[in-house]
Structure formats: C-alpha cells, structure tokens
Amino acid sequence: MCGIVGYIGTKNAYPILIKGLKRLEYRGYDSAGIALNINGGVQVFKKKGKVLELENYCENKNTFSNIGIAHTRWATHGEPNDINAHPHVSMNGFFTIIHNGIIENYEKLKNDLTQRGYKFYGETDSEILANLIEYMYGDGKEVNAETAVRMALSRVVGAYGIVIMCNDEPGKLIAARKSSPLAIGIGDGEYYLASDASPIVEYTRNVVYLNDNDVAIITPNSFTLKTVQKDEEIKPEIQKLELSVGELEKNGFEHYMLKEIFEQPRTISDSFRGRIDPQTKEVFLGGLSEVMPRILDAKRIVIIACGTSWHAALIGEYLIEEYARIPVEVEYASEYRYRKPIINEDDVVLAISQSGETADTMAAIKLAKDKGALVLGICNVVGSSIARETHAGIYTHAGVEIGVASTKAFTAQVTVLTLLAMRLARAHKAIGDERYYAIINDLISIPDKINLILEKQAQIKEIAEKYKDNINSLYLGRGYLFPVALEGALKLKEISYIHAEGYPAGEMKHGPIALVDSNIPVVVVAAKDRYYEKVVSNIQEVKARKGNIIAVVTDGDGFLRDTVEDIMEIPKSDDVVTPLLAVIPLQLFAYYISVLRGCDVDQPRNLAKSVTVE
Ligand code: G6P
C-alpha cells in the first residue's frame, strides 16, 4: 500500500520518479506527489487522484533536479486530498518525507509535539513523523539529519518505509524500513529507491532490499547502511534482479488483468515445470527439502492468508486432507493474529501471499514463529518480506501481477498447493499409484485446456452484456468448486462493484435462497465432478424460484445447456484440478462486466494490490 520512489544521481529525477510512480500505482492511487531539490531548496508538487493528474499539474513547471522523492497514496489517516497527499514537509521546512505504512502511536506523538509548539496542516500520521524528526534535529547544531531520523524512529511504534530529504543536507536521501518494503537499486554514481523493484529494473539489476530497522544514508557516490538502534555501518547484501521490463508492460492487451488472465497457461506450467520429474512423475519441491522431515512429522497444517490467497488456501485444505490425510485448518490472517490461537511446536503453518507483503499475514507468521511452529511460505514475489520471514517455502512462478484483482497468482497458488498435497500424499503413502498419476497427468494437461477456454472469450463477453446492469448476484459451488465460487464472486465485487456473494451450494437453503427471484443472476459452478448431481438439485431449487442461472459446465453437458439460461463451458478434467479451469470463465466474466460498466479494471476504487497496513 502506497508506493514510494526516490532518485539521487546525475540524471533529471522528475521523469524517473513519474515513471516509477506509474509502475507502483497498483499499490494505491488516491493521490500522488513529488518533492524535488530545485536550485538548493525543496519544492513539493502534489495532487489528489492518479499520477496522471500530478503530471498534468507539473506540466510547464520547472521540475529539473538530480534528486527527488515521490509517492502514490492509499489513504489510511485522513481523506484523499491535496493536503494529505505526500510528500509531507515538517513545520519549519527542514524535512520532507514520503511514507508507506502506519504510525500506530501517532496520537501520543502528535500530542507531545503539539505541546512543544508544533502545528499540523493535515491529518496524516506521516506529517507527524516529519515533525518528530525535525524536533529531534532541533537547529541541526547538535545532531545531523541521519541521527535525527534514527532518534525519531526509535520512538515510533508501527510500520514504515520512508525516504527523507533534509534541506540542510541537500545532496542526500535517508531511507528506512520497518514492515513496509523498500528496495534500493545501485547504479553508477546514482541510486534508485522504491517500494518494489519494478521502477528500478530498467536502470540497474543490482538491488539491496532493506531489512526491518535498517537506515540507509545515500549520496550520489555513497551508500551507508546502519540500523535505527546502532550507529555502526553494516554490509549491505546486494542481490541480482531477475525481473524483465517486458513483464511490466501490457503487451498489446487493453488491461493488465486481461493480459494476466491470458498468461495463465504459461504461468501454471511455470509453476509446475521443473517440479515434476518427466519420467517418474514424482514431485520435487527444492525449497522444502531441508524441512521436509519436520513437515512429514506435522500433526496439523494451518494455512493463513488473506483475500484471493485465502481462497487458494481452502482448495489446499481440501487437497491435503483428502490425499495426504493431514488435518488442515485455514485461517484469515487478520483473525488468526489476534484471536490467541493454539499453536504447537509440531504444527506447520503455511502462509500464502502473492505480494509477500500483506501486513496481517506477516504478523500471523511472526506469531507462529514465536510459538515454535515451522512456518512455510507460498509467495509470488521473490525476496519479499514473507518469503524472507518464513523458514522455507515454494515460490509460485506467476511473474509480476499488476492488475489489482488477482488472477494468475491464484491459479499458480492452486498449482503449487496441488504439488504440495501430492508430495505429502506420496511420502505418507496415502495415495495409490493410479490416482496419483491421474492427478499429475491432468495437472500437466491444464495449460492446454485453459487455452481452449480462452478461445471462447467472445461468448463470455456476450453473457456479460446480458448481466452487466444487475446489482446483486450469487455464486454457488460444492467441494473443490466452492472456493472457486468464492473467488468468482470476489472478482466481480472487486472490479465491477456489483454485490456478489459466494456460498457453498448446499448451504444456499439456509439463507441465500431468500434472495432468489427473477432479478438475481445465480452463477453456479457445476462441472461434472463427484458433486454434480447434488449441484444439479441446487440448480433446480433456484429455477423453481425463477432465478437466472449462469452455469460453468463441463463441455458437452447437454442437460445443463437445456436447463439454465447461460453456460460457460470448460474441458473435462479430474475433480481435483478442475478449479484451475472453472475459475477462468469467472475471471473473464468479471473482467467484461467491469469493462462494460466503464469501471477502472486494473485499479478498482478503494482497493490496493499490496496491503501493507492491517
Ligand atoms: C489485496 C489484493 C488481493 C489479494 C489480497 C491478499 O486485497 O487486492 O488481490 O488477494 O490483498 O494479498 P496477498 O499478496 O497476501 O496474496
């Protein structure tokens, strides 16, 4: 949440910062701002709305500078407006700051500063931090900017990724991190700072990811790393970026979301390729090999996640319990972290996260680690905070996901969970050869089958035309397809703002059926799996109440074609891997409804892709 960018070097910083903000806009887009050191003084330009608004505002203004910081905001404290937009400047103008995260003890700090004569122009916690640093700095005679920052941060409770400019020390940026990511790209006589590597990759592949409590002091020719607590230099660990710039472009698609939906045949095979032995078909998960004995001894697996990743977790639960026969619990990270859960040393806690930065998931991981559990991660972003915080893990290879509504990350997570379940099932000798090979072979066939679904996008668009003006909808599924119903409903809600409720089809009679009349579309995920007959009964119940049914059906299901209003067909597949197919038409359906309603598909209102606040 919130994107931060910084540049210091010999180039014109403005275009680098604006381009960086656009790359990071998925993190928040309520307002944007930029601070540049122009002719020896810091100048701030900021605007409510998207980066484009800021760019228009800055047109024809002098923006030339070799040093600057910029921010795109997802509002926490204070409404999105020009005043609350970052960068924030301290009362006497000494410090300018951009901040991602939340200062939890902001109220106390604000009271303390108010008593000392400080005044605030906006409502953000970030402005308080700017003033706290200024207060520590005093007149600058006793302490320098770096020390003032370190002293201020030692009084802060909460999360921050910050970059700071000090008027008295113009050729310098100071950056720090706690629980909010910050990467520093190392160029030749220049440095690039950003919340993730995407704004950096086109300039340099050498990057340092700050750790919690790190403070970096950067000039065009020097990079010094210390911690908040200690005034001693530490050696930065330089990593090589593997990201390519091409991954960050739309490549001819109208939206990132559509591009990402169409990438799924490749991203799913990238997620299993190299992990299934081509001859023996045995699954090998390199990232878990060292901890595998402990996983195999686990009495229980607890999966923690948020949002779409939580839906993938539910599929993981069904898979692992059915085939590996290990008890699994799935938890919302935001609940788990606060509800005093029972965590034993022989538990395995598995965190699933696309971004690897979700604050609630991160906090749940720390809790589980403190209690002695083995904590594993399934993450998409290499080197992300969750990937680094967990004891071991498996990367999904979905590539960069930019559309705020997750698509390819979900199917990559389900792919990896299928591999994990099969690996555990084999090790526990809980699955027969025939069943095992059938599942693995079907998993391998999924990318081709998804291509067949994608070819039918025009039909799905036609169905979307029919239902685009509804304001309510119900999504139903059973077994492995229940989480798919949840995910389908979430996609529609997120990007088209139509209320959509996902439910287990069998549970419909206990409440949601009261909603059914001729006005509500009911999307039923009704592939020919072991639950088919039961789901058909639920369809009849909806029909009896004049509900309009859109069904995701297995190719050639003549009965449902004749029974329901609209069908979206998917190829026949094993029950266990059918979620990977059934979710595709639902992603496309939500996408087209969003486009037809004129919504902002890639940056839906109020949402952010990486939720680094709780
Ligand atoms: C946000 C995103 C969702 C995502 C969720 C969890 O709400 O908009 O798409 O599913 O966070 O994110 P994670 O990165 O932990 O999977």
Side-chain angles (χ1 to χ4, degrees), residues 126-239:
S126 315
E127 187 194 347
I128 298 166
L129 181 53
N131 283 307
L132 180 64
I133 297 169
E134 185 177 273
Y135 172 67
M136 296 294 174
Y137 184 70
D139 58 7
K141 291 195 178 112
E142 306 280 318
V143 292
N144 61 11
E146 168 207 324
T147 310
V149 169
R150 293 185 33 252
M151 283 165 69
L153 292 180
S154 68
R155 295 189 50 188
V156 160
V157 178
Y160 52 80
I162 47 173
V163 189
I164 299 153
M165 294 164 91
C166 174
N167 250 2
D168 286 345
E169 300 177 30
K172 187 184 280 180
L173 292 178
I174 300 173
R177 162 203 161 124
K178 186 169 183 201
S179 303
S180 287
L182 198 53
I184 300 175
I186 302 171
D188 190 8
E190 57 181 6
Y191 293 89
Y192 300 83
L193 296 87
S195 311
D196 71 35
S198 57
I200 297 175
V201 64
E202 55 201 279
Y203 308 108
T204 175
R205 299 212 156 259
N206 297 324
V207 71
V208 173
Y209 290 98
L210 293 193
N211 289 313
D212 277 355
N213 298 313
D214 279 357
V215 178
I217 304 104
I218 306 161
T219 71
N221 298 307
S222 67
F223 176 88
T224 312
L225 198 59
K226 297 185 178 175
T227 63
V228 171
Q229 295 77 15
K230 277 201 177 154
D231 190 14
E232 280 170 22
E233 267 191 64
I234 47 175
K235 199 171 175 285
E237 190 195 326
I238 301 174
Q239 300 186 21

Side-chain angles (χ1 to χ4, degrees), residues 59-285:
E59 217 183 314
N60 302 323
K61 292 192 169 66
N62 176 16
T63 52
F64 187 85
S65 172
N66 301 133
I67 170 169
I69 57 179
H71 186 271
T72 173
R73 178 168 186 245
W74 187 89
T76 56
H77 296 67
E79 66 169 284
N81 57 25
D82 290 358
I83 294 171
N84 290 329
H86 297 219
H88 286 292
V89 183
S90 59
M91 190 176 76
N92 301 309
F94 284 114
F95 288 90
T96 307
I97 184 173
I98 49 172
H99 168 223
N100 171 20
I102 287 191
I103 308 300
E104 286 170 15
N105 58 338
Y106 74 98
E107 219 165 341
K108 173 166 187 333
L109 295 174
K110 188 173 183 180
N111 287 339
D112 291 353
L113 289 165
T114 307
Q115 278 168 21
R116 287 166 172 84
Y118 271 86
K119 294 204 167 28
F120 301 86
Y121 55 78
E123 301 150 281
T124 69
D125 51 344
S126 315
E127 187 194 347
I128 298 166
L129 181 53
N131 283 307
L132 180 64
I133 297 169
E134 185 177 273
Y135 172 67
M136 296 294 174
Y137 184 70
D139 58 7
K141 291 195 178 112
E142 306 280 318
V143 292
N144 61 11
E146 168 207 324
T147 310
V149 169
R150 293 185 33 252
M151 283 165 69
L153 292 180
S154 68
R155 295 189 50 188
V156 160
V157 178
Y160 52 80
I162 47 173
V163 189
I164 299 153
M165 294 164 91
C166 174
N167 250 2
D168 286 345
E169 300 177 30
K172 187 184 280 180
L173 292 178
I174 300 173
R177 162 203 161 124
K178 186 169 183 201
S179 303
S180 287
L182 198 53
I184 300 175
I186 302 171
D188 190 8
E190 57 181 6
Y191 293 89
Y192 300 83
L193 296 87
S195 311
D196 71 35
S198 57
I200 297 175
V201 64
E202 55 201 279
Y203 308 108
T204 175
R205 299 212 156 259
N206 297 324
V207 71
V208 173
Y209 290 98
L210 293 193
N211 289 313
D212 277 355
N213 298 313
D214 279 357
V215 178
I217 304 104
I218 306 161
T219 71
N221 298 307
S222 67
F223 176 88
T224 312
L225 198 59
K226 297 185 178 175
T227 63
V228 171
Q229 295 77 15
K230 277 201 177 154
D231 190 14
E232 280 170 22
E233 267 191 64
I234 47 175
K235 199 171 175 285
E237 190 195 326
I238 301 174
Q239 300 186 21
K240 284 267 175 239
L241 285 179
E242 285 184 12
L243 197 67
S244 80
V245 182
E247 279 185 68
L248 306 172
E249 307 294 341
K250 285 192 199 142
N251 295 338
F253 284 90
E254 201 182 332
H255 297 101
Y256 282 111
M257 182 177 176
L258 190 62
K259 174 194 166 214
E260 287 158 6
I261 291 173
F262 272 77
E263 279 175 343
Q264 290 176 104
R266 180 176 56 76
T267 51
I268 290 174
S269 56
D270 284 352
S271 298
F272 68 64
R273 199 161 18 89
R275 290 171 168 159
I276 301 173
D277 185 293
Q279 262 82 49
T280 64
K281 299 279 192 290
E282 293 303 332
V283 170
F284 176 74
L285 300 169

